[in-house]
PDB file of all heavy atoms in Angstrom:
ATOM      1  N   GLY A 201     -12.413  -1.847   0.804  1.00  0.00           N
ATOM      2  CA  GLY A 201     -12.642  -2.545  -0.450  1.00  0.00           C
ATOM      3  C   GLY A 201     -12.919  -4.065  -0.263  1.00  0.00           C
ATOM      4  O   GLY A 201     -12.357  -4.633   0.652  1.00  0.00           O
ATOM      5  N   ARG A 202     -13.637  -4.588  -1.246  1.00  0.00           N
ATOM      6  CA  ARG A 202     -13.804  -6.076  -1.283  1.00  0.00           C
ATOM      7  C   ARG A 202     -13.681  -6.470  -2.735  1.00  0.00           C
ATOM      8  O   ARG A 202     -13.976  -5.691  -3.610  1.00  0.00           O
ATOM      9  CB  ARG A 202     -15.247  -6.409  -0.788  1.00  0.00           C
ATOM     10  CG  ARG A 202     -15.508  -6.127   0.689  1.00  0.00           C
ATOM     11  CD  ARG A 202     -14.561  -6.856   1.623  1.00  0.00           C
ATOM     12  NE  ARG A 202     -15.030  -6.658   3.008  1.00  0.00           N
ATOM     13  CZ  ARG A 202     -14.362  -5.722   3.739  1.00  0.00           C
ATOM     14  NH1 ARG A 202     -13.465  -4.886   3.226  1.00  0.00           N
ATOM     15  NH2 ARG A 202     -14.714  -5.602   5.006  1.00  0.00           N
ATOM     16  N   SER A 203     -13.162  -7.732  -2.984  1.00  0.00           N
ATOM     17  CA  SER A 203     -12.793  -8.127  -4.274  1.00  0.00           C
ATOM     18  C   SER A 203     -13.536  -9.395  -4.649  1.00  0.00           C
ATOM     19  O   SER A 203     -14.194 -10.042  -3.854  1.00  0.00           O
ATOM     20  CB  SER A 203     -11.310  -8.245  -4.386  1.00  0.00           C
ATOM     21  OG  SER A 203     -10.966  -8.314  -5.772  1.00  0.00           O
ATOM     22  N   ILE A 204     -13.273  -9.842  -5.862  1.00  0.00           N
ATOM     23  CA  ILE A 204     -13.788 -11.050  -6.443  1.00  0.00           C
ATOM     24  C   ILE A 204     -12.628 -11.998  -6.753  1.00  0.00           C
ATOM     25  O   ILE A 204     -11.383 -11.495  -6.862  1.00  0.00           O
ATOM     26  CB  ILE A 204     -14.644 -10.807  -7.680  1.00  0.00           C
ATOM     27  CG1 ILE A 204     -13.792 -10.153  -8.789  1.00  0.00           C
ATOM     28  CG2 ILE A 204     -15.879 -10.020  -7.440  1.00  0.00           C
ATOM     29  CD1 ILE A 204     -14.527 -10.028 -10.115  1.00  0.00           C
ATOM     30  N   PRO A 205     -12.888 -13.262  -6.816  1.00  0.00           N
ATOM     31  CA  PRO A 205     -11.617 -14.185  -7.154  1.00  0.00           C
ATOM     32  C   PRO A 205     -10.993 -13.795  -8.390  1.00  0.00           C
ATOM     33  O   PRO A 205     -11.650 -13.403  -9.360  1.00  0.00           O
ATOM     34  CB  PRO A 205     -12.416 -15.553  -7.313  1.00  0.00           C
ATOM     35  CG  PRO A 205     -13.646 -15.489  -6.412  1.00  0.00           C
ATOM     36  CD  PRO A 205     -14.052 -14.064  -6.608  1.00  0.00           C
ATOM     37  N   GLY A 206      -9.680 -13.869  -8.369  1.00  0.00           N
ATOM     38  CA  GLY A 206      -8.847 -13.427  -9.540  1.00  0.00           C
ATOM     39  C   GLY A 206      -8.378 -11.994  -9.583  1.00  0.00           C
ATOM     40  O   GLY A 206      -7.740 -11.607 -10.488  1.00  0.00           O
ATOM     41  N   PHE A 207      -8.822 -11.245  -8.571  1.00  0.00           N
ATOM     42  CA  PHE A 207      -8.379  -9.809  -8.491  1.00  0.00           C
ATOM     43  C   PHE A 207      -7.854  -9.477  -7.087  1.00  0.00           C
ATOM     44  O   PHE A 207      -8.552  -9.416  -6.127  1.00  0.00           O
ATOM     45  CB  PHE A 207      -9.503  -8.854  -8.859  1.00  0.00           C
ATOM     46  CG  PHE A 207      -9.126  -7.392  -8.983  1.00  0.00           C
ATOM     47  CD1 PHE A 207      -8.525  -6.904 -10.098  1.00  0.00           C
ATOM     48  CD2 PHE A 207      -9.295  -6.442  -7.833  1.00  0.00           C
ATOM     49  CE1 PHE A 207      -8.181  -5.587 -10.194  1.00  0.00           C
ATOM     50  CE2 PHE A 207      -8.974  -5.130  -7.969  1.00  0.00           C
ATOM     51  CZ  PHE A 207      -8.375  -4.703  -9.144  1.00  0.00           C
ATOM     52  N   HIS A 208      -6.468  -9.521  -6.932  1.00  0.00           N
ATOM     53  CA  HIS A 208      -5.830  -9.234  -5.656  1.00  0.00           C
ATOM     54  C   HIS A 208      -5.898  -7.746  -5.194  1.00  0.00           C
ATOM     55  O   HIS A 208      -5.178  -6.940  -5.882  1.00  0.00           O
ATOM     56  CB  HIS A 208      -4.376  -9.763  -5.696  1.00  0.00           C
ATOM     57  CG  HIS A 208      -3.774  -9.863  -4.369  1.00  0.00           C
ATOM     58  ND1 HIS A 208      -3.626  -8.905  -3.491  1.00  0.00           N
ATOM     59  CD2 HIS A 208      -3.178 -11.054  -3.749  1.00  0.00           C
ATOM     60  CE1 HIS A 208      -2.981  -9.376  -2.364  1.00  0.00           C
ATOM     61  NE2 HIS A 208      -2.800 -10.705  -2.545  1.00  0.00           N
ATOM     62  N   LEU A 209      -6.802  -7.446  -4.325  1.00  0.00           N
ATOM     63  CA  LEU A 209      -7.045  -6.043  -3.983  1.00  0.00           C
ATOM     64  C   LEU A 209      -5.793  -5.261  -3.452  1.00  0.00           C
ATOM     65  O   LEU A 209      -5.608  -4.197  -3.882  1.00  0.00           O
ATOM     66  CB  LEU A 209      -8.234  -5.973  -2.956  1.00  0.00           C
ATOM     67  CG  LEU A 209      -9.019  -4.691  -2.970  1.00  0.00           C
ATOM     68  CD1 LEU A 209      -9.520  -4.392  -4.432  1.00  0.00           C
ATOM     69  CD2 LEU A 209     -10.251  -4.865  -2.060  1.00  0.00           C
ATOM     70  N   ARG A 210      -5.051  -5.893  -2.563  1.00  0.00           N
ATOM     71  CA  ARG A 210      -3.909  -5.222  -2.004  1.00  0.00           C
ATOM     72  C   ARG A 210      -2.860  -4.946  -3.040  1.00  0.00           C
ATOM     73  O   ARG A 210      -2.253  -3.912  -3.168  1.00  0.00           O
ATOM     74  CB  ARG A 210      -3.243  -5.980  -0.851  1.00  0.00           C
ATOM     75  CG  ARG A 210      -2.245  -5.077  -0.094  1.00  0.00           C
ATOM     76  CD  ARG A 210      -1.348  -6.012   0.715  1.00  0.00           C
ATOM     77  NE  ARG A 210      -0.234  -5.103   1.296  1.00  0.00           N
ATOM     78  CZ  ARG A 210       0.875  -4.895   0.637  1.00  0.00           C
ATOM     79  NH1 ARG A 210       1.082  -5.238  -0.612  1.00  0.00           N
ATOM     80  NH2 ARG A 210       1.758  -4.064   1.229  1.00  0.00           N
ATOM     81  N   ASP A 211      -2.651  -6.001  -3.899  1.00  0.00           N
ATOM     82  CA  ASP A 211      -1.737  -5.778  -5.076  1.00  0.00           C
ATOM     83  C   ASP A 211      -2.188  -4.693  -6.033  1.00  0.00           C
ATOM     84  O   ASP A 211      -1.388  -3.901  -6.586  1.00  0.00           O
ATOM     85  CB  ASP A 211      -1.513  -7.101  -5.808  1.00  0.00           C
ATOM     86  CG  ASP A 211      -0.742  -8.102  -5.075  1.00  0.00           C
ATOM     87  OD1 ASP A 211      -0.283  -7.772  -3.981  1.00  0.00           O
ATOM     88  OD2 ASP A 211      -0.644  -9.276  -5.509  1.00  0.00           O
ATOM     89  N   ALA A 212      -3.564  -4.623  -6.199  1.00  0.00           N
ATOM     90  CA  ALA A 212      -4.049  -3.527  -7.123  1.00  0.00           C
ATOM     91  C   ALA A 212      -3.765  -2.139  -6.421  1.00  0.00           C
ATOM     92  O   ALA A 212      -3.366  -1.189  -7.251  1.00  0.00           O
ATOM     93  CB  ALA A 212      -5.538  -3.723  -7.159  1.00  0.00           C
ATOM     94  N   LEU A 213      -3.926  -1.955  -5.145  1.00  0.00           N
ATOM     95  CA  LEU A 213      -3.569  -0.716  -4.534  1.00  0.00           C
ATOM     96  C   LEU A 213      -2.064  -0.415  -4.673  1.00  0.00           C
ATOM     97  O   LEU A 213      -1.657   0.753  -4.921  1.00  0.00           O
ATOM     98  CB  LEU A 213      -3.975  -0.784  -3.124  1.00  0.00           C
ATOM     99  CG  LEU A 213      -5.452  -0.804  -2.705  1.00  0.00           C
ATOM    100  CD1 LEU A 213      -5.743  -1.006  -1.291  1.00  0.00           C
ATOM    101  CD2 LEU A 213      -6.247   0.397  -3.261  1.00  0.00           C
ATOM    102  N   ASP A 214      -1.264  -1.448  -4.564  1.00  0.00           N
ATOM    103  CA  ASP A 214       0.167  -1.313  -4.671  1.00  0.00           C
ATOM    104  C   ASP A 214       0.519  -0.807  -6.104  1.00  0.00           C
ATOM    105  O   ASP A 214       1.389   0.150  -6.304  1.00  0.00           O
ATOM    106  CB  ASP A 214       0.885  -2.663  -4.418  1.00  0.00           C
ATOM    107  CG  ASP A 214       2.290  -2.507  -4.038  1.00  0.00           C
ATOM    108  OD1 ASP A 214       2.680  -1.494  -3.376  1.00  0.00           O
ATOM    109  OD2 ASP A 214       3.113  -3.373  -4.503  1.00  0.00           O
ATOM    110  N   LEU A 215      -0.137  -1.395  -7.103  1.00  0.00           N
ATOM    111  CA  LEU A 215       0.060  -0.897  -8.494  1.00  0.00           C
ATOM    112  C   LEU A 215      -0.366   0.598  -8.624  1.00  0.00           C
ATOM    113  O   LEU A 215       0.312   1.422  -9.296  1.00  0.00           O
ATOM    114  CB  LEU A 215      -0.802  -1.721  -9.515  1.00  0.00           C
ATOM    115  CG  LEU A 215      -0.077  -3.035  -9.943  1.00  0.00           C
ATOM    116  CD1 LEU A 215      -1.172  -3.847 -10.812  1.00  0.00           C
ATOM    117  CD2 LEU A 215       1.116  -2.775 -10.811  1.00  0.00           C
ATOM    118  N   MET A 216      -1.467   0.929  -7.965  1.00  0.00           N
ATOM    119  CA  MET A 216      -1.936   2.364  -8.101  1.00  0.00           C
ATOM    120  C   MET A 216      -1.008   3.269  -7.431  1.00  0.00           C
ATOM    121  O   MET A 216      -0.743   4.402  -7.993  1.00  0.00           O
ATOM    122  CB  MET A 216      -3.279   2.338  -7.427  1.00  0.00           C
ATOM    123  CG  MET A 216      -4.406   1.696  -8.199  1.00  0.00           C
ATOM    124  SD  MET A 216      -5.829   1.389  -7.210  1.00  0.00           S
ATOM    125  CE  MET A 216      -6.466   2.987  -6.844  1.00  0.00           C
ATOM    126  N   VAL A 217      -0.366   2.872  -6.335  1.00  0.00           N
ATOM    127  CA  VAL A 217       0.652   3.702  -5.652  1.00  0.00           C
ATOM    128  C   VAL A 217       1.860   3.916  -6.612  1.00  0.00           C
ATOM    129  O   VAL A 217       2.494   5.025  -6.588  1.00  0.00           O
ATOM    130  CB  VAL A 217       1.025   3.202  -4.280  1.00  0.00           C
ATOM    131  CG1 VAL A 217       2.277   3.882  -3.677  1.00  0.00           C
ATOM    132  CG2 VAL A 217      -0.142   3.312  -3.327  1.00  0.00           C
ATOM    133  N   LYS A 218       2.219   2.859  -7.252  1.00  0.00           N
ATOM    134  CA  LYS A 218       3.495   2.955  -8.165  1.00  0.00           C
ATOM    135  C   LYS A 218       3.161   3.959  -9.278  1.00  0.00           C
ATOM    136  O   LYS A 218       4.119   4.623  -9.665  1.00  0.00           O
ATOM    137  CB  LYS A 218       3.815   1.572  -8.690  1.00  0.00           C
ATOM    138  CG  LYS A 218       4.405   0.707  -7.676  1.00  0.00           C
ATOM    139  CD  LYS A 218       4.763  -0.670  -8.293  1.00  0.00           C
ATOM    140  CE  LYS A 218       5.599  -1.557  -7.387  1.00  0.00           C
ATOM    141  NZ  LYS A 218       4.988  -1.891  -6.066  1.00  0.00           N
ATOM    142  N   LYS A 219       1.969   3.984  -9.733  1.00  0.00           N
ATOM    143  CA  LYS A 219       1.639   5.008 -10.825  1.00  0.00           C
ATOM    144  C   LYS A 219       1.498   6.357 -10.224  1.00  0.00           C
ATOM    145  O   LYS A 219       1.750   7.326 -10.959  1.00  0.00           O
ATOM    146  CB  LYS A 219       0.344   4.494 -11.528  1.00  0.00           C
ATOM    147  CG  LYS A 219       0.504   3.216 -12.299  1.00  0.00           C
ATOM    148  CD  LYS A 219      -0.835   2.903 -13.122  1.00  0.00           C
ATOM    149  CE  LYS A 219      -0.660   1.686 -13.919  1.00  0.00           C
ATOM    150  NZ  LYS A 219      -1.845   1.315 -14.752  1.00  0.00           N
ATOM    151  N   HIS A 220       0.862   6.495  -9.071  1.00  0.00           N
ATOM    152  CA  HIS A 220       0.582   7.761  -8.448  1.00  0.00           C
ATOM    153  C   HIS A 220       1.093   7.735  -6.965  1.00  0.00           C
ATOM    154  O   HIS A 220       0.289   7.416  -6.133  1.00  0.00           O
ATOM    155  CB  HIS A 220      -0.875   8.094  -8.545  1.00  0.00           C
ATOM    156  CG  HIS A 220      -1.451   8.048  -9.972  1.00  0.00           C
ATOM    157  ND1 HIS A 220      -1.290   9.145 -10.855  1.00  0.00           N
ATOM    158  CD2 HIS A 220      -2.057   7.085 -10.640  1.00  0.00           C
ATOM    159  CE1 HIS A 220      -1.847   8.783 -12.036  1.00  0.00           C
ATOM    160  NE2 HIS A 220      -2.379   7.658 -11.893  1.00  0.00           N
ATOM    161  N   PRO A 221       2.311   7.970  -6.740  1.00  0.00           N
ATOM    162  CA  PRO A 221       2.867   7.806  -5.431  1.00  0.00           C
ATOM    163  C   PRO A 221       2.213   8.552  -4.275  1.00  0.00           C
ATOM    164  O   PRO A 221       2.362   8.123  -3.123  1.00  0.00           O
ATOM    165  CB  PRO A 221       4.382   8.342  -5.597  1.00  0.00           C
ATOM    166  CG  PRO A 221       4.637   8.173  -7.051  1.00  0.00           C
ATOM    167  CD  PRO A 221       3.337   8.414  -7.805  1.00  0.00           C
ATOM    168  N   HIS A 222       1.497   9.647  -4.605  1.00  0.00           N
ATOM    169  CA  HIS A 222       0.833  10.465  -3.513  1.00  0.00           C
ATOM    170  C   HIS A 222      -0.605  10.190  -3.431  1.00  0.00           C
ATOM    171  O   HIS A 222      -1.347  10.871  -2.799  1.00  0.00           O
ATOM    172  CB  HIS A 222       1.147  11.946  -3.785  1.00  0.00           C
ATOM    173  CG  HIS A 222       2.564  12.308  -3.894  1.00  0.00           C
ATOM    174  ND1 HIS A 222       3.471  12.160  -2.875  1.00  0.00           N
ATOM    175  CD2 HIS A 222       3.400  12.829  -4.962  1.00  0.00           C
ATOM    176  CE1 HIS A 222       4.668  12.563  -3.222  1.00  0.00           C
ATOM    177  NE2 HIS A 222       4.574  12.911  -4.439  1.00  0.00           N
ATOM    178  N   LEU A 223      -1.100   9.186  -4.210  1.00  0.00           N
ATOM    179  CA  LEU A 223      -2.610   8.909  -4.139  1.00  0.00           C
ATOM    180  C   LEU A 223      -3.061   8.473  -2.892  1.00  0.00           C
ATOM    181  O   LEU A 223      -4.091   8.870  -2.384  1.00  0.00           O
ATOM    182  CB  LEU A 223      -2.841   7.981  -5.272  1.00  0.00           C
ATOM    183  CG  LEU A 223      -4.352   7.498  -5.434  1.00  0.00           C
ATOM    184  CD1 LEU A 223      -5.256   8.618  -5.664  1.00  0.00           C
ATOM    185  CD2 LEU A 223      -4.509   6.363  -6.553  1.00  0.00           C
ATOM    186  N   LEU A 224      -2.369   7.403  -2.312  1.00  0.00           N
ATOM    187  CA  LEU A 224      -2.836   6.860  -1.027  1.00  0.00           C
ATOM    188  C   LEU A 224      -1.949   7.330   0.132  1.00  0.00           C
ATOM    189  O   LEU A 224      -0.807   7.254   0.114  1.00  0.00           O
ATOM    190  CB  LEU A 224      -2.737   5.372  -1.153  1.00  0.00           C
ATOM    191  CG  LEU A 224      -3.478   4.623  -2.296  1.00  0.00           C
ATOM    192  CD1 LEU A 224      -3.268   3.107  -2.248  1.00  0.00           C
ATOM    193  CD2 LEU A 224      -4.938   5.052  -2.254  1.00  0.00           C
ATOM    194  N   LEU A 225      -2.668   7.763   1.166  1.00  0.00           N
ATOM    195  CA  LEU A 225      -1.934   8.199   2.352  1.00  0.00           C
ATOM    196  C   LEU A 225      -1.547   6.922   3.219  1.00  0.00           C
ATOM    197  O   LEU A 225      -0.387   6.909   3.741  1.00  0.00           O
ATOM    198  CB  LEU A 225      -2.842   9.031   3.306  1.00  0.00           C
ATOM    199  CG  LEU A 225      -3.383  10.427   2.615  1.00  0.00           C
ATOM    200  CD1 LEU A 225      -4.302  11.133   3.594  1.00  0.00           C
ATOM    201  CD2 LEU A 225      -2.127  11.296   2.451  1.00  0.00           C
ATOM    202  N   ARG A 226      -2.418   5.917   3.184  1.00  0.00           N
ATOM    203  CA  ARG A 226      -2.149   4.759   3.915  1.00  0.00           C
ATOM    204  C   ARG A 226      -3.002   3.603   3.183  1.00  0.00           C
ATOM    205  O   ARG A 226      -4.098   3.882   2.644  1.00  0.00           O
ATOM    206  CB  ARG A 226      -2.625   4.759   5.356  1.00  0.00           C
ATOM    207  CG  ARG A 226      -1.782   5.649   6.325  1.00  0.00           C
ATOM    208  CD  ARG A 226      -2.322   5.735   7.653  1.00  0.00           C
ATOM    209  NE  ARG A 226      -3.537   6.392   7.766  1.00  0.00           N
ATOM    210  CZ  ARG A 226      -3.723   7.783   7.674  1.00  0.00           C
ATOM    211  NH1 ARG A 226      -2.631   8.574   7.578  1.00  0.00           N
ATOM    212  NH2 ARG A 226      -4.955   8.279   7.743  1.00  0.00           N
ATOM    213  N   PHE A 227      -2.453   2.396   3.125  1.00  0.00           N
ATOM    214  CA  PHE A 227      -3.162   1.221   2.675  1.00  0.00           C
ATOM    215  C   PHE A 227      -2.610  -0.002   3.229  1.00  0.00           C
ATOM    216  O   PHE A 227      -1.483  -0.102   3.624  1.00  0.00           O
ATOM    217  CB  PHE A 227      -3.245   1.296   1.091  1.00  0.00           C
ATOM    218  CG  PHE A 227      -1.974   0.729   0.474  1.00  0.00           C
ATOM    219  CD1 PHE A 227      -1.869  -0.478   0.074  1.00  0.00           C
ATOM    220  CD2 PHE A 227      -0.869   1.608   0.248  1.00  0.00           C
ATOM    221  CE1 PHE A 227      -0.699  -0.942  -0.582  1.00  0.00           C
ATOM    222  CE2 PHE A 227       0.226   1.168  -0.356  1.00  0.00           C
ATOM    223  CZ  PHE A 227       0.388  -0.155  -0.753  1.00  0.00           C
ATOM    224  N   GLY A 228      -3.514  -1.033   3.139  1.00  0.00           N
ATOM    225  CA  GLY A 228      -3.066  -2.409   3.506  1.00  0.00           C
ATOM    226  C   GLY A 228      -4.224  -3.404   3.396  1.00  0.00           C
ATOM    227  O   GLY A 228      -5.245  -2.977   2.939  1.00  0.00           O
TER     228      GLY A 228
END
């Protein structure tokens, strides 16, 4: 993934995992 200023991509993935714990096998 690539992002634009004002949208923290890793933090977005972290939020997604909190909502759906089994969604991502690995991320960083």
Side-chain angles (χ1 to χ4, degrees):
R202 298 293 184 269
S203 193
I204 59 175
F207 186 79
H208 195 298
L209 205 52
R210 189 196 175 279
D211 286 357
L213 292 176
D214 202 36
L215 275 174
M216 291 161 67
V217 167
K218 285 180 170 63
K219 292 184 178 182
H220 303 278
H222 304 295
L223 176 60
L224 305 181
L225 299 174
R226 290 174 294 281
F227 77 97

